[in-house]
């Protein structure tokens, strides 16, 4: 999260920022949030507080360890490399597959949201060069649908 946003949030009198906390329950009725329960700190003491709004920021650490051995290249922080970010990167040991009429893995060309694994695409926050915002992830999701159709059509 940018310093600007952190400062703005910390300056709001009606917002409380809780770190190292785990949501344990949400309570409500008819689609309206009424209370939140969470564990905070190492002691794990559960807290319950009535509230109508909750913003959950889970941090900026990608959960990509499960890709180990899958042939998907990651950057130094563990985010998935896609498209032009793969240019000039040694992909030794990664199975690239055969060439298609769109994107040419044999020559290192990747479609914009394609990973180092030909035909595998990544979108949203887990992507190395993504703008870490919900709207950006939604846009990438819409974009990848058209890319997938073109990819599959070229293989048919």
């Amino acid at each position: 999260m940018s310093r600007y946003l952190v400062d703005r949030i910390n300056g709001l009198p009606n917002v409380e920022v809780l770190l190292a906390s785990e949501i344990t329950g949400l309570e409500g009725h008819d689609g309206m949030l009424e209370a939140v329960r969470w564990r905070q700190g190492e002691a794990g003491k559960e807290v319950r507080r009535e509230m109508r709004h909750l913003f959950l920021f889970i941090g900026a650490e990608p959960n990509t360890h499960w890709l180990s051995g899958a042939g998907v290249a990651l950057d130094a922080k563990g985010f998935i490399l896609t498209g032009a970010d793969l240019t000039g990167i040694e992909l030794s040991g990664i199975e690239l597959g055969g060439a298609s009429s769109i994107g040419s893995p044999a020559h290192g060309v990747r479609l914009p949201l394609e990973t180092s694994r030909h035909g595998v695409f990544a979108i949203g926050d887990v992507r190395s060069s993504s703008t870490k915002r919900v709207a950006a992830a939604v846009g990438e999701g819409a974009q990848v649908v058209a890319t997938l159709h073109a990819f599959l059509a070229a293989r048919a």
Side-chain angles (χ1 to χ4, degrees):
M1 182 178 284
S2 69
R3 179 85 255 153
Y4 165 78
L5 287 175
V6 170
D7 292 343
R8 290 277 314 254
I9 291 168
N10 285 333
L12 295 171
N14 63 336
V15 173
E16 180 180 0
V17 176
L18 302 172
L19 304 176
S21 301
E22 177 184 349
I23 300 288
T24 58
L26 301 172
E27 301 172 16
H29 186 261
D30 292 330
M32 183 67 81
L33 182 64
E34 295 173 351
V36 177
R37 292 189 321 269
W38 66 87
R39 280 193 204 101
Q40 192 169 10
E42 290 184 28
K45 176 185 165 194
E46 186 162 280
V47 176
R48 181 190 180 276
R49 188 168 302 154
E50 292 183 9
M51 63 181 71
R52 294 186 46 159
H53 306 282
L54 170 68
F55 174 78
L56 180 63
F57 184 76
I58 59 172
E61 294 182 24
N63 182 11
T64 56
H65 62 277
W66 60 275
L67 288 169
S68 177
V72 175
L74 307 176
D75 68 12
K77 294 180 180 179
F79 290 94
I80 299 173
L81 295 167
T82 58
D85 290 341
L86 291 163
T87 303
I89 292 177
E90 177 61 42
L91 298 176
S92 62
I94 294 176
E95 177 60 44
L96 294 177
S100 74
S101 60
I102 62 166
S104 177
H107 297 98
V109 176
R110 286 284 178 254
L111 296 168
L113 299 170
E114 190 174 17
T115 69
S116 57
R117 184 81 188 235
H118 191 55
V120 176
F121 298 82
I123 62 166
D125 290 3
V126 77
R127 222 172 45 76
S128 181
S129 292
S130 71
T131 302
K132 309 297 191 242
R133 300 288 184 266
V134 171
V138 170
E140 288 181 2
Q143 177 186 351
V144 82
V145 171
T147 303
L148 284 167
H149 283 289
F151 175 83
L152 293 172
R155 296 182 63 83

